[in-house]
Amino acid sequence: MSNDYDIVIIGGSLAGRYAALFATKLKAKVALLESRVDHGLIYHQAMGKIANLAQSGDDFAGFGIHATNTANAKKYPISVNWTDAMLYAHGVVSNIQEQTSPAVLAAAGVDVIFGSGQFSTSPDLAFAVNQRLLRGRTYLLASGSRPAIPEIEGLQATGYLTLANIWQAFKAATPPQDWVILGGVPQSIEVAQTLVKLGCSVNLVVKYPYLLSSVDPEISQLLQAQLEADGVRIFTEKGVTQVRRIDGKKWIQVGDKAIEVDEILVATEQQPNIESLNLADAGVKLHQQRLLINEKLQTTNHRIYACGDVIGGYDFANISQYEARIAIKNALFLPRLKVNYCNIPWAIFSQPTLTRVGLTQAQAQRRFERKEILVLRHYYKSVTAAQIENQITGVCKLIVLRNGEILGATILGTSARELINLIALAMAQKIRVKHLADLSPIYPSFAEILEQTATEWSNQKLHSNIAWQEWLEGFFYFRRNWNL
């Protein structure tokens, strides 16, 4: 039986829409199945913009931000007209959504189908939806993920919000003011800082020793110090044992402390949206509720690929789009491309921004001999642009080999989102750290920190060579005297 499509994309995420458009550029015949698209991340970024405007202290009437007294007036003397602010956020989402709207997709040649369905293997592999069988030469799972709700006594009965619906709370006549966030993902940090800048009281509970287990401890501690200075109350290595509703308030037990709040946000792990797809009959295997995929993004059925947060891991748009390009090319042509995340940067949209690419110091030390690794760091406080703009909180940390190969970088500070892209490009093009030291960026600019950090390589190498030479001299001196 002939196939109707080159690829059938099981969507429900922005990654699915991006993949569909990318496939049309490769002249493929594409079907995109959608039940819903989660725009929560875009809402969050729009609200984060409002928070940044509020922090600046100016009057942005067009955004619904006006100078009034707030509960957190000493730190942030701006409050938000939430009705106007949500209209602004909705406008941002609508503008971004329009770029990959069903109309745009259809105009590009994508057959957009709305509804839910599942794989069928009778008589051949197909996807059944709306009493119709979609037959594709290949298939792509891009159905996204949803919050994995922890099993905590009383949580379900008390009620809670998730990252997918948190912004609905601000449509209420009186939005919640006192929050507790059960964190563990980048967005939990972003939301905590956004809420506190908008005048809310925020408690952030993290089960790890540091805010994020995937970041160097020294960077994580610096970010934690910034959040605490902003007013976020942080509990690390604390477990939540129970939740109760008492007299209209929500109470949450964190370790030996009981916290009274208006609202609870669950922002822990995500789980893939795959339960209803009948993957077992299609030969797609799971391990601990996660898709088993290879480096080519194929599932255990070689005709079915996957991309985006349905795979697992943090939900970063640029990584999802990178995976979509790899998966689409492999699905439509020979499956020869492999994912390589070493040179793909990611960011946490905190203030200041935290970005990372490649290996951390701990990862590099596990992979290479310690004597081969040099750790270069430079702080924002010595950068002229940071002094001028009063943005001196931050650090640039490079992990390099003695030969100058860049293994990874972490930047916490203003303009980190732009700076990390330069490091990622240097790593992808095998540019050694000594060339970053010759960057000669515009003065003043935050890019100076790359030049200044890279300069540490030659200094450390020189000191290391001197130390090695002194050790050799001592060794031969000892040999000579021992022979005497």
Side-chain angles (χ1 to χ4, degrees):
M1 188 173 292
S2 62
N3 295 311
D4 302 317
Y5 302 97
D6 294 310
I7 187 165
V8 174
I9 300 173
I10 294 87
S13 68
L14 291 175
R17 291 188 173 188
Y18 176 86
L21 281 176
F22 184 73
T24 61
K25 294 178 181 178
L26 299 178
K27 309 302 181 185
K29 189 174 182 181
V30 185
L32 173 64
L33 174 69
E34 285 208 350
S35 54
R36 63 176 182 84
V37 175
D38 181 14
H39 294 285
L41 179 61
I42 302 174
Y43 266 108
H44 162 60
Q45 291 176 343
M47 296 302 293
K49 177 65 174 176
I50 294 173
N52 293 337
L53 292 173
Q55 186 190 23
S56 69
D58 294 325
D59 184 20
F60 292 89
F63 297 95
I65 300 174
H66 306 279
T68 59
N69 293 323
T70 71
N72 206 1
K74 289 184 179 180
K75 194 174 292 289
Y76 303 109
I78 305 294
S79 80
V80 175
N81 179 326
W82 285 107
T83 301
D84 292 342
M86 288 306 298
L87 286 174
Y88 164 73
H90 181 72
V92 171
V93 172
S94 298
N95 291 336
I96 295 175
Q97 181 182 10
E98 185 60 30
Q99 299 172 19
T100 56
S101 67
V104 170
L105 292 166
V110 178
D111 188 1
V112 182
I113 302 164
F114 294 96
S116 300
Q118 63 180 13
F119 280 100
S120 171
T121 56
S122 179
D124 299 302
L125 182 64
F127 198 85
V129 57
N130 300 339
Q131 299 181 334
R132 174 184 173 189
L133 288 179
L134 306 178
R135 293 184 174 86
R137 182 164 55 87
T138 55
Y139 300 83
L140 176 64
L141 300 177
S143 49
S145 64
R146 66 184 187 280
I149 308 303
E151 295 184 3
I152 300 173
E153 181 185 346
L155 180 62
Q156 294 288 347
T158 304
Y160 56 89
L161 296 174
T162 68
L163 291 170
N165 62 11
I166 176 178
W167 306 118
Q168 300 298 319
F170 298 107
K171 294 182 178 180
T174 305
Q177 286 295 306
D178 299 322
W179 292 75
V180 64
I181 301 175
L182 309 186
V185 297
Q187 288 83 0
S188 63
I189 295 173
E190 298 167 1
V191 172
Q193 196 173 39
T194 297
L195 289 175
V196 80
K197 288 181 178 180
L198 294 175
C200 298
S201 173
V202 180
N203 301 276
L204 177 60
V205 182
V206 181
K207 65 179 180 180
Y208 309 111
Y210 306 103
L211 285 182
L212 287 171
S213 58
S214 59
V215 177
D216 282 328
E218 64 177 302
I219 306 291
S220 183
Q221 288 173 343
L222 185 57
L223 178 59
Q224 178 172 336
Q226 180 62 57
L227 263 67
E228 289 175 334
D230 289 338
V232 180
R233 187 184 183 193
I234 300 175
F235 300 86
T236 56
E237 293 187 281
K238 298 294 183 182
V240 177
T241 55
Q242 62 177 328
V243 178
R244 291 284 184 271
R245 182 185 290 274
I246 303 174
D247 296 332
K249 282 282 192 176
K250 298 181 179 182
W251 288 83
I252 182 167
Q253 188 71 33
V254 181
D256 59 353
K257 296 184 181 297
I259 303 173
E260 179 188 15
V261 295
D262 296 326
E263 194 54 84
I264 299 168
L265 173 66
V266 177
T268 50
E269 300 178 331
Q270 296 285 108
Q271 62 184 18
N273 294 321
I274 54 176
E275 287 81 3
S276 63
L277 301 182
N278 193 27
L279 294 178
D281 283 356
V284 176
K285 296 182 180 179
L286 309 177
H287 176 66
Q288 296 181 348
Q289 301 303 311
R290 298 289 183 182
L291 291 169
L292 286 175
I293 58 169
N294 60 21
E295 292 178 320
K296 300 176 183 179
L297 298 180
Q298 287 174 308
T299 66
T300 48
N301 183 325
H302 71 278
R303 292 174 59 190
I304 302 176
Y305 294 76
C307 74
D309 53 320
V310 71
I311 294 175
Y314 295 148
D315 183 13
F316 295 122
N318 64 314
I319 294 179
S320 295
Q321 292 177 3
Y322 167 74
E323 292 170 343
R325 292 192 297 270
I326 296 291
I328 289 294
K329 289 178 180 178
N330 283 340
L332 296 180
F333 308 108
L334 291 176
R336 57 183 180 81
L337 300 177
K338 297 180 180 180
V339 289
N340 179 3
Y341 298 105
C342 292
N343 303 326
I344 307 299
W346 55 265
I348 300 175
F349 301 113
S350 52
Q351 288 290 324
T353 302
L354 172 63
T355 62
R356 211 197 95 188
V357 64
L359 303 180
T360 64
Q361 181 178 345
Q363 290 171 336
Q365 289 172 345
R366 288 194 295 267
R367 188 172 301 185
F368 301 93
E369 294 185 19
R370 287 185 176 239
K371 65 181 181 180
E372 288 298 314
I373 299 170
L374 296 178
V375 179
L376 317 177
R377 60 172 61 80
H378 204 81
Y379 293 92
Y380 268 62
K381 61 184 178 182
S382 62
V383 176
T384 303
Q387 292 285 348
I388 293 173
E389 298 189 23
N390 194 27
Q391 300 290 336
I392 60 173
T393 299
V395 61
C396 176
K397 183 175 182 179
L398 299 180
I399 311 299
V400 303
L401 293 178
R402 285 178 56 83
N403 64 7
E405 180 184 350
I406 305 172
L407 300 177
T410 304
I411 304 176
L412 173 68
T414 302
S415 297
R417 276 180 278 181
E418 307 304 327
L419 298 177
I420 202 70
N421 291 326
L422 296 176
I423 301 295
L425 178 62
M427 292 173 61
Q429 297 300 315
K430 308 296 183 183
I431 297 173
R432 298 297 173 100
V433 70
K434 66 179 181 180
H435 298 298
L436 288 180
D438 297 330
L439 186 61
S440 300
I442 292 173
Y443 179 87
S445 70
F446 286 97
E448 288 178 60
I449 200 167
L450 299 182
E451 177 192 27
Q452 294 174 6
T453 307
T455 302
E456 294 294 319
W457 172 74
S458 57
N459 295 337
Q460 282 200 31
K461 191 175 180 183
L462 176 62
H463 293 155
S464 178
N465 289 338
I466 291 174
W468 174 249
Q469 184 177 356
E470 289 176 346
W471 185 90
L472 285 176
E473 290 175 353
F475 172 78
F476 287 119
Y477 176 81
F478 173 80
R479 286 285 303 273
R480 286 194 301 270
N481 284 275
W482 178 264
N483 291 333
L484 290 175

